[in-house]
Amino acid sequence: MGESVWYITTPIYYPSDSLHVGHAYTTVAADALARYHRLVGDRVLFVTGTDEHGQKIQKKALEKGQKPLEFVTPIVKFIRDPLWKRLGISYDDFIRTTEDRHRHVVQQIFQRLVEQGDIYKGIYEGWYCLPDESYWTESKLVDGNCPDCGRPVEKVTQESYFFRLSHYQNRLHQYILDHPEFIQPTSRRHEMLNFIEAGLEDLSVSRMGVSWGIPVPGDPDHVIYVWFDALTNYLTAAGYLHDTDLFQSAWPANVHLVGKEIVRFHTVIWPIILMALDLPLPDRVFGHGWLLIGQAKMGKSLGNAVDPVELFDRYGVDPLRHYLLREVPFGADGSYTEAALVLRTNVDLANDLGNLLSRTTAMIDRFHQGTVPSLDVGSDDGVLAKEAALVYREVETFMNNLAISDALTSIFRLINRANKYIEEQKPWDLAKRHDGVALDNVLYGLWETLRIVSVLLTPFLLEAPNRIRKQLGLTEPVLQYREALFGFNPSGLSVRREGPLFPRIEWKESVTAGDDTDHAIGVEDFRKLDFRVGTIRTAEIVPGADRLLKLTVFDGSRDRTIVSGIRLHYAPADLIGQQVVVVANLKPATFKGIVSEGMLLAGSHEGELSLVAPIRPLPEGAPVK
RNA sequence: GGCGGCGUAGCUCAGUUGGUUAGAGCACACGGCUCAUACCCGUGACGUCGGUGGUUCGAGUCCACCCGCCGCUACCA
């Protein structure tokens, strides 16, 4: 019987596509929690993995002429290394649903539930798209047609195994009422109570048309379907039915960290499976928000998925981790923009933390020959010690509540306090006045604060803590959270200045593509723009300007003079009679003495330029919106 | 449609059980400092607290209605 294990999971990801920053966000958050708990001395089991069965992967593999496992394995490999490896994901176990250990567990559970009557055979009604070879539920159909291809679907009825959710409905409802901590944040809890109160239908947990999955024991025409397979990974990884010692200390899980879109499966289906198995329920299911791209949901199909590998190649692991953990507050949605990532890095990591380290070590070098002064407790004002002690407790509280961004905010408050303290104490004046004791206390306080920060940041950042410690003259890595207490004895240590801990990122907004939703405008803004169709009447070269043309454009009511910088791309003669789109309510501007009353729309790419025009002719003056 | 939530400075958000001049961070302006990564520190400006009408001595904070936005409303991982 081992000591109790702090068990945290991420969802297992579906490797049909490469993962994006959203997945990285969930996983980094779980990693920070796992690292924190190791630091405070808990035995930790941190599990992530991949959910590899199902129709979609079967189809994708088929398209590539591969077996499903062949198709999926390189993707899984990539997720483990480089993706999670370089992001520093310190998982203790990586589970794949295609592993034998998992198949055995799923089949045994299934068998047991059949035997005790919680799973029964019935008839499943669904819809099937023949050309797509896809099954759909009624609610997914678009106007009664296949949501993928829009073609008609046919009704299929087939034998299926059903899981008796209805039987456990009241028990689950009561459980959620009795355990306010079970579903977080509370808004999700309300939604789930609502959902359950509406009544639970039994869930179809097998399919006949899909071959890529775990067969139903004793009935190999049926494959165990989706959630029943996926959710039970949490039991497999905890050793259920095969590693009794591990299971006894690890189960129930402390936290299932999930995206808000799968909260329901984790708080309805999953607890009922556990109830049916007579197992205790996890302490908490936390549904975190999404990382949006500007305002939009991120997704492969939306073409805006941000590749995490690209991000840490460009900005480094610590800036990325810090940004993810700091920017998205508790349960709410966060918004990814490159501008915000750069800002967080420059302001927090470079200006505040990096610069504090730089100025502290510089002063110890200059005013104390590089050796770390010791503290004269009796004469110290205790300002930094007090703040450090407060932050120490706050971080504990926040991390226990899964409030990761609040914990980081708290740590950076200590850093800011230290920067301010320098301003208040003016060590350079103390040095001039030869006030040795006061100077020593200040320098020690700053050094000690940075040492404490290096401990506090250990769960969040991978490289910075040890780089800070090296510059502080410390050689031992951080081992325990308790090291973040004020009063370390630094005798014999000397600082070792290096280059900036986090160099400021020079970043020009205009250079970046892909974050156009960063400056999203409302439709009311768009309506301010008056676009109209016009026809070019005349076109002539503007003397003394090598790229300007002077045009007259009839906009339905009058001829406008428009000066346009398109001479390199269009000969005047080619433009006459051409329809274009003009911006009609632009303030007039003067070019080479000619007043231009508007602009033409044109697209450009790498030196190419093309005017925008209606595909079919329209009357002049027709609005464009 | 049903249930729930949100709308507070240019941006992201805090605002406890209703109570003196509505806050923080970022951005902006000005000033200071020089140990430091053009950094840091200070000061300042900016808000009809979505709208209307109530309750109250007093409402961002309670009630009603309205406007706008969002989440959930089952078998996709």
Side-chain angles (χ1 to χ4, degrees), chain A residues 130-427:
Chain A
L130 201 59
D132 272 8
E133 297 179 32
S134 302
Y135 291 90
W136 302 99
T137 55
E138 178 113 31
S139 61
K140 284 283 189 295
L141 299 182
V142 176
D143 299 326
N145 291 322
C146 172
D148 258 8
C149 64
R151 286 174 288 206
V153 290
E154 56 188 74
K155 190 169 189 174
V156 291
T157 55
Q158 61 169 236
E159 226 178 46
S160 170
Y161 286 87
F162 283 86
F163 181 45
R164 224 178 270 285
L165 294 185
S166 55
H167 180 71
Y168 292 89
Q169 173 176 329
N170 293 337
R171 243 179 93 183
L172 177 62
H173 189 260
Q174 192 57 45
Y175 185 90
I176 295 172
L177 288 178
D178 293 343
H179 298 81
E181 298 262 300
F182 179 52
I183 303 174
Q184 294 183 342
T186 48
S187 55
R188 302 287 156 209
R189 178 167 176 265
H190 291 142
E191 286 173 5
M192 290 308 109
L193 283 170
N194 220 301
F195 177 79
I196 295 165
E197 282 158 19
L200 298 182
E201 290 170 22
D202 291 347
L203 176 77
S204 164
V205 290
S206 72
R207 283 299 136 85
M208 296 187 81
V210 181
S211 61
W212 178 231
I214 299 174
V216 169
D219 199 350
D221 290 343
H222 293 260
V223 156
I224 297 171
Y225 199 55
V226 285
W227 291 106
F228 206 90
D229 173 6
L231 290 164
T232 47
N233 95 83
Y234 301 132
L235 286 178
T236 306
Y240 186 56
L241 298 178
H242 64 278
D243 184 340
T244 311
D245 280 354
L246 176 64
F247 189 71
Q248 295 224 346
S249 44
W251 196 260
N254 295 70
V255 182
H256 292 312
L257 206 58
V258 301
K260 64 182 184 183
E261 74 282 6
I262 52 174
V263 167
R264 199 182 65 231
F265 306 110
H266 284 80
T267 56
V268 177
I269 302 175
W270 179 228
I272 291 181
I273 292 175
L274 293 169
M275 283 176 171
L277 292 171
D278 273 319
L279 291 172
L281 271 45
D283 295 343
R284 289 192 271 199
V285 175
F286 185 85
H288 64 71
W290 283 334
L291 192 63
L292 307 174
I293 297 297
Q295 316 277 314
K297 188 184 169 185
M298 181 180 335
K300 188 84 174 181
S301 54
L302 297 168
N304 64 354
V306 176
D307 180 3
V309 178
E310 195 178 305
L311 280 183
F312 57 62
D313 276 348
R314 189 144 26 134
Y315 294 111
V317 179
D318 280 350
L320 179 56
R321 283 179 61 112
H322 172 253
Y323 172 75
L324 291 173
L325 296 171
R326 177 86 189 258
E327 194 76 4
V328 182
F330 216 13
D333 284 347
S335 168
Y336 168 83
T337 65
E338 192 161 10
L341 170 52
V342 170
L343 194 68
R344 279 252 92 99
T345 303
N346 281 348
V347 171
D348 294 337
L349 298 181
N351 294 355
D352 292 346
L353 173 58
N355 190 41
L356 176 65
L357 177 66
S358 177
R359 60 202 304 211
T360 298
T361 51
M363 285 191 286
I364 290 175
D365 258 347
R366 185 184 308 191
F367 303 136
H368 212 266
Q369 293 70 51
T371 65
V372 183
S374 54
L375 179 71
D376 179 45
V377 182
S379 64
D380 183 55
D381 59 18
V383 167
L384 292 176
K386 211 173 138 195
E387 184 73 8
L390 181 61
V391 168
Y392 180 92
R393 289 194 303 273
E394 281 182 2
V395 169
E396 276 183 328
T397 305
F398 286 137
M399 290 306 273
N400 285 329
N401 291 323
L402 311 180
I404 299 173
S405 59
D406 289 338
L408 272 171
T409 302
S410 188
I411 295 169
F412 276 85
R413 209 184 63 234
L414 176 60
I415 291 165
N416 289 332
R417 189 65 192 85
N419 273 319
K420 188 172 170 177
Y421 190 67
I422 295 176
E423 239 37 61
E424 291 166 355
Q425 298 298 321
K426 302 193 194 320

Side-chain angles (χ1 to χ4, degrees), chain A residues 46-95:
Chain A
F46 168 28
V47 178
T48 186
T50 43
D51 175 18
E52 306 181 12
H53 292 128
Q55 175 178 293
K56 197 158 156 188
I57 280 175
Q58 186 180 341
K59 241 176 89 177
K60 284 220 170 196
L62 199 67
E63 282 164 15
K64 295 187 78 175
Q66 289 176 313
K67 293 185 171 166
L69 197 59
E70 279 172 8
F71 167 78
V72 130
T73 297
I75 301 177
V76 174
K77 261 179 104 167
F78 180 86
I79 292 171
R80 301 185 68 155
D81 182 7
L83 193 53
W84 291 164
K85 188 171 182 186
R86 292 192 55 193
L87 268 176
I89 307 303
S90 62
Y91 55 79
D92 300 292
D93 193 358
F94 188 101
I95 184 166

Side-chain angles (χ1 to χ4, degrees), chain A residues 83-144:
Chain A
L83 193 53
W84 291 164
K85 188 171 182 186
R86 292 192 55 193
L87 268 176
I89 307 303
S90 62
Y91 55 79
D92 300 292
D93 193 358
F94 188 101
I95 184 166
R96 305 179 56 179
T97 53
T98 46
E99 290 170 313
D100 286 346
R101 58 170 173 162
H102 184 61
R103 191 180 68 242
H104 291 145
V105 169
V106 170
Q107 288 187 323
Q108 285 180 74
I109 290 174
F110 199 95
Q111 180 71 39
R112 171 174 165 188
L113 296 186
V114 169
E115 281 164 13
Q116 65 188 45
D118 282 317
I119 289 178
Y120 60 92
K121 220 176 203 178
I123 298 296
Y124 172 81
E125 288 193 351
W127 299 86
Y128 185 68
C129 175
L130 201 59
D132 272 8
E133 297 179 32
S134 302
Y135 291 90
W136 302 99
T137 55
E138 178 113 31
S139 61
K140 284 283 189 295
L141 299 182
V142 176
D143 299 326

Side-chain angles (χ1 to χ4, degrees), chain A residues 463-474:
Chain A
E463 298 167 353
N466 281 332
R467 288 174 53 215
I468 293 170
R469 294 171 77 79
K470 200 172 156 204
Q471 293 201 40
L472 293 178
L474 294 160

